[in-house]
Amino acid sequence: IDPHGNLVVASSTQTISILDGNTGALLRQFTGFSTLPPDAIVATEQAIIVADRIHITAYDSATGKDLWMLPATALPSPQLTVSGKYLMHLYQSNALQATVSIIDHTTGKSVWSQPYLSSTAQRTGDVDADAVYINGIFSLSLQDASFRWFSELPLMQQVRTSNAWCGVISIHTNFF
């Protein structure tokens, strides 16, 4: 649901539809996406932001016009999360490494990008006004990606971020 009470729906036909939250009426559609994972769409006050395997694109939520577009990874399952003016783009870089990128979602400009060790089964993140939280076991500063803390949780400990429950594995290695 976007901040205006409209429902944002991704379909298997590579289409995103925005429906009026009160009536269900179709307000607009965006087409031409590659496969869209569930965590690859976020809504802000001004935009619907979508990460497919080719681009991260921000669309004006009122008009549907493109606001900005960035190249994206061709690897599956990107995750987008938004807090304030920051957009977190989390994606698997290769079999053992993921990358978290922070983008100013009002302009599409990159703030920072940081790779870290992660398997595809263990990649989840969240962002708030001050920090980025990865897999529930370490935190980076939202402003400059500086390391904030690391917590060694037991194997497959359940952790709660604002988006979902996830299992994490305690890793006794340097992340960066």
Side-chain angles (χ1 to χ4, degrees):
I1 297 177
D2 75 8
H4 306 288
N6 299 318
L7 186 62
V8 180
V9 180
S11 76
S12 60
T13 60
Q14 301 175 334
T15 302
I16 296 175
S17 302
I18 300 182
L19 306 176
D20 184 293
N22 294 318
T23 67
L26 179 65
L27 300 176
R28 72 193 59 78
Q29 283 189 318
F30 307 99
T31 60
F33 297 98
S34 61
T35 305
L36 293 171
D39 288 335
I41 303 169
V42 294
T44 70
E45 196 66 33
Q46 298 83 21
I48 305 297
I49 304 170
V50 180
D52 65 13
R53 291 182 179 200
I54 303 166
H55 299 104
I56 303 172
T57 308
Y59 300 95
D60 185 292
S61 56
T63 66
K65 291 183 180 179
D66 290 12
L67 297 174
W68 53 261
M69 182 183 296
L70 300 172
T73 176
L75 297 169
S77 301
Q79 177 190 341
L80 297 179
T81 306
V82 70
S83 178
K85 74 174 192 171
Y86 296 107
L87 173 72
M88 181 190 71
H89 178 222
L90 182 62
Y91 60 94
Q92 198 67 31
S93 308
N94 59 48
L96 297 175
Q97 183 177 327
T99 299
V100 59
S101 296
I102 298 298
I103 300 162
D104 180 331
H105 75 73
T106 62
T107 64
K109 303 281 187 215
S110 176
V111 177
W112 56 261
S113 187
Q114 178 70 50
Y116 65 94
L117 295 176
S118 174
S119 71
T120 55
Q122 304 306 319
R123 184 188 40 79
T124 187
D126 208 349
V127 61
D128 67 19
D130 301 312
V132 173
Y133 306 93
I134 306 297
N135 293 356
I137 58 173
F138 72 95
S139 177
L140 304 174
S141 166
L142 184 59
Q143 298 303 314
D144 61 7
S146 59
F147 185 77
R148 291 173 34 122
W149 55 260
F150 171 80
S151 176
E152 292 188 20
L153 297 175
L155 184 66
M156 292 308 292
Q157 173 73 34
Q158 294 293 317
V159 217
R160 176 77 174 132
T161 67
S162 67
N163 294 326
W165 285 96
C166 63
V168 296
I169 294 177
S170 177
I171 301 172
H172 304 278
T173 312
N174 209 349
F175 278 99
F176 308 99

